[in-house]
Amino acid sequence: MATRRFEAPNDAALDALYEDIAHKDLQPLWELSGLLTPAPKVKAVPHRWRGKELRELGERAGELVPVDRGGDRRVLSLSNPGLGGVPYATSTLWGAVQYLGPGETAPAHRHTPAALRFVLEGEGVWTLVDGDPLHMSAGDLVLTPSWTWHEHHNPGDTSMTWFDALDLPLVEALDAVFFEPGQGRTVPSATAARSASERRFGGGPGLLPGGSTAPAPAHSPLLRYQWADTDRALTDQLAEAGSKAGRTGHAHVRFADPTNGRDVMPTMRCEMHRYLPGHTAPAERRTGSALVAVFRGTGAVELDGVPHALAPGDLIAIPSWTSVRVLADEPMDLFSVSDAPVLEALSLFRAETDAG
Amino acid sequence: MATRRFEAPNDAALDALYEDIAHKDLQPLWELSGLLTPAPKVKAVPHRWRGKELRELGERAGELVPVDRGGDRRVLSLSNPGLGGVPYATSTLWGAVQYLGPGETAPAHRHTPAALRFVLEGEGVWTLVDGDPLHMSAGDLVLTPSWTWHEHHNPGDTSMTWFDALDLPLVEALDAVFFEPGQGRTVPSATAARSASERRFGGGPGLLPGGSTAPAPAHSPLLRYQWADTDRALTDQLAEAGSKAGRTGHAHVRFADPTNGRDVMPTMRCEMHRYLPGHTAPAERRTGSALVAVFRGTGAVELDGVPHALAPGDLIAIPSWTSVRVLADEPMDLFSVSDAPVLEALSLFRAETDAG
Amino acid sequence: MATRRFEAPNDAALDALYEDIAHKDLQPLWELSGLLTPAPKVKAVPHRWRGKELRELGERAGELVPVDRGGDRRVLSLSNPGLGGVPYATSTLWGAVQYLGPGETAPAHRHTPAALRFVLEGEGVWTLVDGDPLHMSAGDLVLTPSWTWHEHHNPGDTSMTWFDALDLPLVEALDAVFFEPGQGRTVPSATAARSASERRFGGGPGLLPGGSTAPAPAHSPLLRYQWADTDRALTDQLAEAGSKAGRTGHAHVRFADPTNGRDVMPTMRCEMHRYLPGHTAPAERRTGSALVAVFRGTGAVELDGVPHALAPGDLIAIPSWTSVRVLADEPMDLFSVSDAPVLEALSLFRAETDAG
Amino acid sequence: MATRRFEAPNDAALDALYEDIAHKDLQPLWELSGLLTPAPKVKAVPHRWRGKELRELGERAGELVPVDRGGDRRVLSLSNPGLGGVPYATSTLWGAVQYLGPGETAPAHRHTPAALRFVLEGEGVWTLVDGDPLHMSAGDLVLTPSWTWHEHHNPGDTSMTWFDALDLPLVEALDAVFFEPGQGRTVPSATAARSASERRFGGGPGLLPGGSTAPAPAHSPLLRYQWADTDRALTDQLAEAGSKAGRTGHAHVRFADPTNGRDVMPTMRCEMHRYLPGHTAPAERRTGSALVAVFRGTGAVELDGVPHALAPGDLIAIPSWTSVRVLADEPMDLFSVSDAPVLEALSLFRAETDAG
């Protein structure tokens, strides 16, 4: 009966219906397709940017472009070829290299998108976060969490380059971008070798200030993770015969909030990986995207089966559900930032290992 | 010195630099603008769809379009005029009306985007969620959480219309959409008046199964919230002289997971509001978007100061940071669904009251 | 060598050592025994008090003892025969029957030990908790959490008896007992059929007040659990063919904080059990102690293999690590309160099933 | 009328009632007193044991008593003078000094009471915890959590003394003591300078093993906290001009589980305090008890206003609700262990500052 009702489709009536539907800012689901796909239909593509080229372009920009020109930052942002020209590395992450010349300053501002800096090379820039001066040197991770004031100073006589990551595309997709420029300069009279955040929360593993009753912020109160500690943690993992790292030749450390073990910021997970030649870590694909910066060593990464040679300073965009397999020619250290905390918080995280 | 270096900009060199930058899939931040705005730059616009028109179009579709035609659902999706033609109600939420005729069935499927149904009118459809039959009648909220099998059956002889909300735009932005069509039919031999989920978790406020050791799912195990309970909770709030609801004439209930008090699903908050004529709830704006369905009563809503008359069945899209003020001509019940849990989980939630 | 050193024990020197040790308020571990036992060495013994006798003694006390005589409560406390004369039912729990005659009032006070009332029979007493009047009738659970003001009023013309449970022995062992007598009377002008706590948090399963931002207290904000809801939850469990309750003939409900699913109070877990004749729930032993009140039905309980007949009003003390097996002659409803949340919070909870 | 009923008390009837009540293992609350006191009625008394005497007695015991004599440990346990001869330092904590001579071994066992060791002096003992060898030297904190196998080895040629703390009195009060002797010896072939637990979780502040999916134990997976880190954390706090420690001259560090920031074990909080001469930390009293060991420096502590001189190695028992004020003659380091996590978990924690 129901079937009969539709035996003779009345095209005129149907056309009229569709017209009225469209006129009322509606759309008929049954005419739509590609909304619900068996697996994610990802626009961003796997891509690698060469560190050598990023450095060279940064230096040329340093020659030609004053840092305080629009945006107050001398930043080259990764523009994923699959995303149609927006300056985003993946659908949720912004990635960039920032270049600060001798004597230059990137003035203070704050914004709801959270940012982090991983120092690829060099030494001597101070990043002020809410007035707390953080010393930056190669291998350090520095956090500038959501809505914290931050500015960069290079008092030295050599330029410095670092990797910037932000959750800007995600925060924009959520229509939650707020920005505020800073007033004047907040340079402290003197800068200590260790920041206040390190003196309070960086005493050692599992050591927290006593009697602290301040409400926990949404981000780690430890704003700088020194390379020396990270390096030791990776070395320790590989040195332990019985451990998974010792067996596989793949060590990795997750940067965590020392007060609760959660990720350093609610939107981004930071990790450092060390792969030894011949390691046996399998190829894996995950929901959510990641950016990877090569800190030390050479090798390659296979993204959906396509190999990309890796050298220090290279940056890699890994879109959601891309198969990833790493090959190391020598011990290779990779810094990674991903939106995994977001996928996990929303119960949308999936991972599977495959043949790559 | 640094300043002098930039006194005479070398246009040719700059052009060459920009060309090389673009050629390497990079963009110069200092030439970009509008990335970081003082307040959210929201594409979606406030909009109201009239219930009368939605019903009428649903009935016409019922006459002309078989339910099993592409998409397996007879759904008219809200297409926000600001979003350039995509079938999304806001940047993170899908909204729609679904129409199921007598004797019709919407077959089983599952997908990672989570869905919920709020029954605007009628009675008698059964929604099966992972094989558990949920009876639907006016005012009921029914959940079909992420990746649960679900299908709709209308064994009666009258059609039924309900409001669908999904987090599809958000899950798509996160590149985490998975979909699987169902195999055959999973109709249970008999359908009880109360679902298994209600018999286990719906015994009463604060009553949970004893000795339960199963790992908690990410969503509420209670899949149906009956109107009778919701109505009583709102009535109770308003009846309490001392309470905020009693003082302001605005009651609201949040639908929660009875096992932990969290929102019914990790991506969507559901609430029912009752406004009395002359209530004193102030205008408010929030980050994150919401959809509102008028269940009972008439009145108006001011969205960024623009009034929209409200009648039963109307649907309203409230984009992020839109000022909202409700006016009631008579006691008015509004069902709302928002992405507030997402903004809160990522520490991006902001709200402020204003003069509207 | 080390062994040789001890070949010839020097008794005089040893005696002198022991004397000096004792003189300095020390004790030599190697002379102590029974400190660390293979299994808990429990002083309290399994015991059953007969409801018939408790009622009769309560009535006689009602005739002879004014309620306001020392303690302000007409309470007969369970004194476990194994505990050497202290008025405690187990090592961590106080249990008692309280009898309030027509027109009597038990005046206001508060204390850090938390208390709860389970109504064995009768109707019509009002318990005020921080000024919120809670109606009490048979089968109801009423909470008077730590440090809340509470008083009992019997405006009716019949006496009423209920079961009291407190965590007093635990709080005393932790040296954390505080007490404060009330000033005068706090009777509200009128008492509603449902308390404010029920109007706010008792609307229905999974329904919470919207926009609530008050810090959550350590206890459930829902202070009364009505028998009608509890009864329905148990009936629903048993009616569900596939469920564990349906299979075993043993249903049980845990009373929970509706805002977070945790136990009603941090020190006591409350449950209602229904056993059908021939149920197949096995004998079990657990760390931590419990008190059980027979609400309806008759049967027996085997405690460490010793059977005790059960009838309505009976109270049972179940010390830690006692094997418990229930036998039902007819459908039997047992209310239980235990210190399980304490054992769990301290990671000391153990359970095992055995042959009883 | 009610009043009249009690005008002529019937002594004979009352005596008969009391006799019957007692005969039924009940007690009349109205005849009991001292159950609910305005403030905690604490049996344990403040007490100080002198380190000099503890050392001397430990050495004499080392001469006269083989370690494997009853109890397998050469331990002198603190017996609080107020507790009537039980070997407990407070109502919830066991405290002791343990002495292990050159070449001696304290064999393996495990028990549900949790234990920790704080090294007062010396160097070179290895404590095996579930087979993981932990090196012990002055100032180190070593954990042997509930139900972990542990044994102590002194391969060196000098004796070593440390402070033991256990939650034994608490676990006994909860009737949850289990004990199991070890089978044979579990000495690893080689002992690394850093334990496996330190290599996994001790890399640095906020550095956790990546991809770890093992369920978190109830205790810290980091089993040794080195003095060098603790010392640095205290020095950093005092060096920070703006900080509370910098202002007051009182620094304190809480030893935490690096994976979640919680206390090292669910029943005991461990802290290290450094007081500078003239510090301004006020006297304070708290619910729950604590034991303090003087590691470095001299000064005094006022307990309920009574001063006790302090020197290295002294142990102090601080019962619940005792007023505590510390005075430092020179920089003084105090290790403290308390049951604060228990009081907090059960919502029984209170603290107030007073004039001492």
Side-chain angles (χ1 to χ4, degrees):
Chain A
M1 203 189 89
T3 48
R4 188 186 311 112
R5 189 169 76 223
F6 302 104
E7 260 165 11
N10 176 333
D11 290 347
L14 207 52
D15 294 344
L17 174 61
Y18 287 176
E19 192 172 310
D20 293 344
I21 286 172
H23 189 255
K24 298 301 183 183
D25 297 302
L26 299 166
Q27 295 189 34
L29 173 64
W30 59 89
E31 294 295 336
L32 304 172
S33 65
L35 280 175
L36 293 167
T37 50
K41 192 181 54 185
V42 183
K43 293 199 188 73
V45 297
H47 195 74
R48 176 212 52 204
W49 290 262
R50 292 192 175 283
K52 184 175 165 305
E53 296 169 345
L54 294 168
R55 263 188 304 278
E56 184 264 343
L57 290 167
E59 282 156 15
R60 281 169 61 191
E63 292 304 319
L64 299 168
V65 184
V67 72
D68 56 4
R69 189 158 164 182
D72 289 343
R73 299 291 190 265
R74 190 186 290 107
V75 159
L76 297 174
S77 66
L78 309 181
S79 180
N80 190 292
L83 291 177
V86 297
Y88 297 161
T90 72
S91 55
T92 59
L93 295 170
W94 163 285
V97 285
Q98 182 160 176
Y99 178 91
L100 197 63
E104 291 187 325
T105 293
H109 65 207
R110 64 178 181 175
H111 36 72
T112 49
L116 60 89
R117 331 287 169 179
F118 179 76
V119 183
L120 294 166
E121 55 190 327
E123 162 87 52
V125 163
W126 294 93
T127 289
L128 265 64
V129 178
D130 285 339
D132 189 16
L134 307 168
H135 183 84
M136 294 169 71
S137 65
D140 290 353
L141 169 64
V142 166
L143 309 180
T144 55
S146 180
W147 210 236
T148 53
W149 292 107
H150 54 281
E151 58 191 278
H152 311 294
H153 297 264
N154 186 353
D157 51 15
T158 63
S159 65
M160 192 165 157
T161 303
W162 61 85
F163 167 57
D164 278 339
L166 284 80
D167 57 11
L168 173 56
L170 173 67
V171 179
E172 188 190 49
L174 295 171
D175 291 323
V177 172
F178 291 84
F179 173 85
E180 188 176 354
Q183 323 292 8
R185 201 53 56 84
T186 65
V187 187
S189 52
T191 52
R194 304 179 71 219
S195 64
S197 95
E198 291 168 280
R199 288 194 299 271
R200 284 178 205 143
F201 295 96
L207 296 182
L208 297 178
S212 157
T213 56
H219 59 80
S220 173
L222 181 62
L223 298 176
R224 179 189 176 211
Y225 294 77
Q226 292 189 50
W227 171 245
D229 289 334
T230 309
D231 185 33
R232 181 174 69 159
L234 293 167
T235 303
D236 279 345
Q237 278 188 28
L238 291 165
E240 191 182 347
S243 73
K244 187 183 177 195
R247 290 196 313 276
T248 62
H250 168 219
H252 58 310
V253 164
R254 181 171 65 88
F255 297 92
D257 180 333
T259 67
N260 55 33
R262 292 200 292 258
D263 288 297
V264 290
M265 297 186 289
T267 53
M268 293 189 279
R269 172 166 300 162
C270 295
E271 295 176 307
M272 181 67 66
H273 295 254
R274 177 167 294 168
Y275 294 90
L276 301 185
H279 75 85
T280 60
E284 189 183 46
R285 66 178 72 230
R286 300 177 173 190
T287 51
S289 66
L291 302 180
V292 171
V294 182
F295 180 54
R296 291 180 168 180
T298 60
V301 59
E302 284 180 4
L303 301 172
D304 282 339
V306 178
H308 303 261
L310 297 181
D314 288 356
L315 302 179
I316 306 123
I318 303 177
S320 184
W321 215 234
T322 302
S323 164
V324 182
R325 182 155 160 262
V326 173
L327 305 164
D329 299 335
E330 54 186 323
M332 183 166 60
D333 294 339
L334 304 181
F335 172 80
S336 77
V337 53
S338 76
D339 57 10
V342 178
L343 280 290
E344 289 177 357
L346 307 185
S347 202
L348 291 164
F349 184 79
R350 286 190 184 198
E352 65 181 37
T353 56
D354 60 23
Chain B
M1 198 189 91
T3 48
R4 188 184 313 110
R5 191 169 76 222
F6 300 104
E7 260 166 8
N10 175 333
D11 289 347
L14 205 54
D15 294 345
L17 173 62
Y18 286 175
E19 192 172 311
D20 294 346
I21 286 173
H23 189 254
K24 297 301 183 183
D25 297 304
L26 298 166
Q27 295 189 35
L29 174 64
W30 59 88
E31 294 294 337
L32 304 172
S33 65
L35 280 175
L36 293 167
T37 49
K41 192 182 52 185
V42 183
K43 293 200 189 71
V45 296
H47 195 74
R48 175 211 53 202
W49 289 262
R50 292 193 175 283
K52 185 176 164 305
E53 296 169 346
L54 294 169
R55 264 189 304 277
E56 184 263 345
L57 290 168
E59 282 156 16
R60 282 168 61 189
E63 291 305 317
L64 298 169
V65 184
V67 71
D68 57 1
R69 189 158 164 181
D72 288 343
R73 299 290 191 265
R74 189 185 292 109
V75 158
L76 296 175
S77 66
L78 309 180
S79 181
N80 189 292
L83 291 177
V86 297
Y88 297 160
T90 72
S91 55
T92 60
L93 295 170
W94 163 285
V97 285
Q98 182 160 176
Y99 178 93
L100 196 63
E104 292 186 323
T105 294
H109 64 208
R110 64 177 181 175
H111 36 71
T112 49
L116 60 89
R117 329 288 169 179
F118 179 76
V119 183
L120 294 167
E121 57 191 324
E123 161 88 50
V125 163
W126 293 93
T127 288
L128 266 63
V129 178
D130 285 339
D132 189 15
L134 308 169
H135 183 83
M136 294 169 71
S137 64
D140 290 353
L141 169 64
V142 166
L143 309 180
T144 56
S146 180
W147 210 237
T148 54
W149 292 108
H150 54 281
E151 60 193 274
H152 311 293
H153 297 266
N154 185 353
D157 52 13
T158 62
S159 65
M160 193 165 156
T161 303
W162 62 83
F163 167 57
D164 278 339
L166 283 81
D167 58 10
L168 173 57
L170 173 67
V171 179
E172 188 191 49
L174 295 171
D175 291 323
V177 172
F178 291 84
F179 173 85
E180 187 177 354
Q183 324 292 4
R185 201 53 55 86
T186 65
V187 186
S189 52
T191 51
R194 304 179 71 219
S195 64
S197 94
E198 291 168 280
R199 288 193 299 272
R200 283 179 204 141
F201 295 95
L207 297 181
L208 297 178
S212 156
T213 56
H219 59 79
S220 173
L222 181 62
L223 298 176
R224 178 190 176 209
Y225 294 76
Q226 293 189 48
W227 171 245
D229 289 334
T230 309
D231 185 32
R232 182 175 67 160
L234 294 168
T235 303
D236 279 345
Q237 277 188 28
L238 291 166
E240 193 182 346
S243 73
K244 187 183 178 194
R247 288 196 314 276
T248 62
H250 169 220
H252 59 309
V253 164
R254 182 171 65 89
F255 297 93
D257 181 334
T259 68
N260 56 33
R262 291 200 292 256
D263 287 298
V264 289
M265 297 187 287
T267 52
M268 293 189 278
R269 172 166 300 161
C270 296
E271 296 175 307
M272 180 67 65
H273 295 253
R274 177 167 294 168
Y275 294 90
L276 301 185
H279 77 82
T280 60
E284 189 183 46
R285 66 177 73 229
R286 300 176 171 191
T287 50
S289 67
L291 302 179
V292 170
V294 181
F295 180 53
R296 290 182 170 180
T298 59
V301 59
E302 284 180 6
L303 301 173
D304 282 339
V306 179
H308 302 261
L310 297 181
D314 289 357
L315 301 180
I316 306 123
I318 302 176
S320 183
W321 215 235
T322 303
S323 164
V324 182
R325 182 153 160 261
V326 173
L327 306 165
D329 299 335
E330 55 185 324
M332 183 166 61
D333 293 339
L334 304 181
F335 172 80
S336 77
V337 52
S338 77
D339 57 9
V342 178
L343 280 288
E344 289 176 356
L346 306 184
S347 202
L348 291 164
F349 183 79
R350 286 190 185 197
E352 64 181 37
T353 56
D354 59 23
Chain C
M1 199 188 91
T3 49
R4 189 185 311 110
R5 191 170 74 221
F6 300 103
E7 261 166 8
N10 177 332
D11 290 347
L14 206 52
D15 293 345
L17 173 63
Y18 287 174
E19 191 172 311
D20 293 346
I21 286 173
H23 189 256
K24 297 300 183 184
D25 297 303
L26 299 166
Q27 295 188 35
L29 174 63
W30 57 89
E31 293 295 335
L32 305 172
S33 65
L35 279 175
L36 292 168
T37 50
K41 192 181 52 184
V42 183
K43 294 199 189 73
V45 296
H47 195 73
R48 177 212 52 204
W49 290 262
R50 292 193 175 282
K52 184 175 163 307
E53 296 169 346
L54 294 169
R55 262 189 303 277
E56 184 263 344
L57 290 168
E59 282 156 17
R60 280 169 60 191
E63 291 304 319
L64 298 168
V65 184
V67 72
D68 55 2
R69 189 159 164 181
D72 288 342
R73 300 290 190 265
R74 189 185 290 108
V75 159
L76 296 175
S77 66
L78 309 181
S79 180
N80 190 292
L83 291 178
V86 296
Y88 297 160
T90 72
S91 55
T92 59
L93 295 170
W94 163 285
V97 284
Q98 182 161 175
Y99 178 92
L100 197 63
E104 291 186 324
T105 294
H109 64 208
R110 64 178 181 174
H111 36 72
T112 49
L116 60 88
R117 331 287 169 180
F118 179 76
V119 183
L120 294 167
E121 56 190 326
E123 162 87 49
V125 162
W126 293 93
T127 289
L128 266 63
V129 178
D130 285 339
D132 189 15
L134 308 169
H135 183 86
M136 294 169 70
S137 65
D140 290 353
L141 169 64
V142 166
L143 309 180
T144 56
S146 180
W147 210 237
T148 54
W149 292 108
H150 54 282
E151 60 192 276
H152 311 294
H153 297 265
N154 186 352
D157 51 14
T158 62
S159 65
M160 193 165 157
T161 304
W162 61 84
F163 167 58
D164 278 338
L166 284 81
D167 57 10
L168 173 56
L170 173 67
V171 179
E172 188 190 49
L174 295 171
D175 291 322
V177 172
F178 292 84
F179 173 84
E180 187 178 354
Q183 324 293 4
R185 201 52 56 87
T186 65
V187 187
S189 52
T191 52
R194 304 179 71 221
S195 65
S197 93
E198 291 168 280
R199 289 194 299 271
R200 284 178 204 140
F201 295 96
L207 297 182
L208 297 178
S212 157
T213 56
H219 59 80
S220 172
L222 181 62
L223 298 175
R224 179 190 176 210
Y225 294 76
Q226 292 190 48
W227 171 246
D229 290 334
T230 309
D231 185 32
R232 181 173 69 161
L234 293 167
T235 303
D236 279 344
Q237 278 188 28
L238 291 166
E240 193 182 344
S243 73
K244 188 183 178 194
R247 290 195 313 275
T248 61
H250 170 220
H252 59 309
V253 165
R254 182 172 64 89
F255 297 92
D257 180 333
T259 67
N260 55 33
R262 292 200 293 256
D263 288 298
V264 289
M265 297 187 288
T267 52
M268 294 189 277
R269 172 166 299 161
C270 296
E271 294 176 308
M272 180 67 66
H273 295 254
R274 177 167 295 168
Y275 294 89
L276 300 185
H279 77 84
T280 60
E284 190 183 45
R285 66 177 73 229
R286 300 176 172 190
T287 50
S289 66
L291 302 179
V292 171
V294 181
F295 180 54
R296 290 181 169 180
T298 59
V301 61
E302 284 180 6
L303 301 172
D304 283 340
V306 178
H308 303 261
L310 297 181
D314 289 357
L315 301 180
I316 306 124
I318 302 176
S320 183
W321 217 234
T322 303
S323 165
V324 182
R325 182 154 160 261
V326 173
L327 305 164
D329 299 334
E330 55 186 322
M332 183 165 59
D333 294 338
L334 304 181
F335 172 80
S336 78
V337 53
S338 77
D339 58 9
V342 178
L343 279 289
E344 289 177 356
L346 307 184
S347 202
L348 292 164
F349 183 79
R350 286 190 184 198
E352 66 182 34
T353 56
D354 60 24
Chain D
M1 199 190 88
T3 48
R4 187 184 314 111
R5 191 169 76 224
F6 300 105
E7 259 166 10
N10 177 333
D11 290 347
L14 206 53
D15 293 346
L17 173 62
Y18 286 176
E19 192 172 309
D20 293 346
I21 285 173
H23 189 255
K24 297 301 183 183
D25 297 304
L26 299 166
Q27 294 188 36
L29 174 63
W30 58 89
E31 294 294 336
L32 305 172
S33 65
L35 280 175
L36 293 168
T37 50
K41 191 181 53 185
V42 183
K43 293 199 188 72
V45 296
H47 195 73
R48 177 211 53 203
W49 289 263
R50 291 192 175 283
K52 184 175 164 306
E53 296 168 348
L54 294 169
R55 265 189 303 277
E56 184 265 343
L57 291 168
E59 282 156 15
R60 282 169 61 190
E63 291 304 318
L64 298 168
V65 185
V67 71
D68 56 2
R69 189 158 165 182
D72 289 343
R73 299 289 190 267
R74 189 186 292 107
V75 159
L76 296 175
S77 65
L78 309 181
S79 180
N80 189 293
L83 291 178
V86 297
Y88 297 160
T90 71
S91 55
T92 59
L93 295 170
W94 162 285
V97 285
Q98 182 159 175
Y99 178 92
L100 198 62
E104 291 187 325
T105 294
H109 64 208
R110 65 178 179 174
H111 35 73
T112 49
L116 60 88
R117 330 288 170 179
F118 179 76
V119 183
L120 293 167
E121 55 190 326
E123 162 87 51
V125 163
W126 292 93
T127 289
L128 266 63
V129 177
D130 285 338
D132 189 15
L134 308 168
H135 183 82
M136 295 169 70
S137 65
D140 289 353
L141 169 64
V142 166
L143 309 180
T144 55
S146 180
W147 210 236
T148 54
W149 292 107
H150 54 281
E151 58 192 278
H152 311 294
H153 297 265
N154 185 353
D157 50 15
T158 62
S159 64
M160 191 164 157
T161 303
W162 61 84
F163 167 57
D164 278 339
L166 283 81
D167 57 11
L168 173 57
L170 173 67
V171 178
E172 188 191 48
L174 294 171
D175 291 323
V177 172
F178 292 84
F179 173 85
E180 188 177 354
Q183 325 292 5
R185 202 51 56 86
T186 66
V187 187
S189 53
T191 52
R194 303 179 72 220
S195 64
S197 93
E198 291 167 280
R199 288 194 299 273
R200 283 177 205 144
F201 295 96
L207 297 181
L208 297 178
S212 157
T213 57
H219 59 79
S220 173
L222 181 62
L223 298 175
R224 178 189 176 213
Y225 294 76
Q226 292 190 49
W227 171 247
D229 290 334
T230 309
D231 185 33
R232 182 175 66 161
L234 294 167
T235 304
D236 279 345
Q237 277 189 27
L238 291 165
E240 192 182 345
S243 74
K244 187 182 178 194
R247 289 196 313 276
T248 62
H250 169 219
H252 59 308
V253 164
R254 182 172 64 88
F255 297 93
D257 181 332
T259 67
N260 55 34
R262 291 200 292 257
D263 287 298
V264 289
M265 298 187 287
T267 53
M268 293 189 278
R269 172 166 299 162
C270 296
E271 295 176 308
M272 181 67 65
H273 295 254
R274 177 166 294 168
Y275 294 90
L276 301 185
H279 76 84
T280 59
E284 189 183 47
R285 65 178 73 229
R286 299 177 173 190
T287 49
S289 67
L291 302 179
V292 170
V294 182
F295 180 54
R296 291 180 169 182
T298 59
V301 59
E302 283 180 4
L303 301 172
D304 282 338
V306 178
H308 302 261
L310 297 181
D314 289 356
L315 302 180
I316 305 122
I318 303 176
S320 183
W321 216 234
T322 302
S323 164
V324 181
R325 182 154 161 261
V326 173
L327 306 164
D329 299 335
E330 54 186 321
M332 184 166 61
D333 293 339
L334 304 180
F335 172 80
S336 77
V337 53
S338 77
D339 57 10
V342 178
L343 280 289
E344 288 176 357
L346 306 185
S347 202
L348 291 164
F349 183 79
R350 286 189 184 197
E352 64 181 37
T353 55
D354 59 25

